[in-house]
Amino acid sequence: MAMVTSNIGAYQKTQMMKVVCRKKERDRDHKNNIHPYKVVEITPPPKCLGIRCFPPNLQCGESVTIEGQAYTISAVTHRYQLRKGKYEPGEKRLDVLSSSRYILNLYLENLLEQS
């Protein structure tokens, strides 16, 4: 679930956003084009960042902000399950790296190719 937090003095106000999983409600909210993704930071050890709502057209290399930190998408995975002879969407997953780590990996890969 995505959380929006703001600090007001000594009090902390937390608002929970609803993740829609029912097909009828998803069709009603189709104009918003927001879909739930399971977000995993893949730096060792892998760390689950929860389920977040993002637009459906995310691609590798795009930057997203989660809880005030910038991450870069390394992989987008759509999993399907076979139910009653048909494949149905099961899970959407984003593998992310912190932006600084992503840039460092690109630099190191470039050095490796040059040597």
Side-chain angles (χ1 to χ4, degrees), residues 4 22 75 86:
V4 178
R22 294 185 185 146
K86 295 181 181 179

Side-chain angles (χ1 to χ4, degrees), residues 49-101:
L49 299 176
I51 297 175
R52 309 289 174 162
C53 291
F54 292 109
N57 58 349
L58 291 176
Q59 299 175 3
C60 295
E62 286 191 44
S63 182
V64 294
T65 303
I66 300 171
E67 295 179 359
Q69 288 191 333
Y71 293 96
T72 303
I73 298 173
S74 295
V76 181
T77 306
H78 294 262
R79 292 190 178 183
Y80 294 88
Q81 293 179 341
L82 183 62
R83 292 184 189 151
K84 299 179 183 177
K86 295 181 181 179
Y87 284 101
E88 296 179 354
E91 176 186 68
K92 295 180 183 178
R93 176 178 159 163
L94 292 179
D95 293 337
V96 298
L97 287 169
S98 65
S99 293
S100 58
R101 179 67 186 203

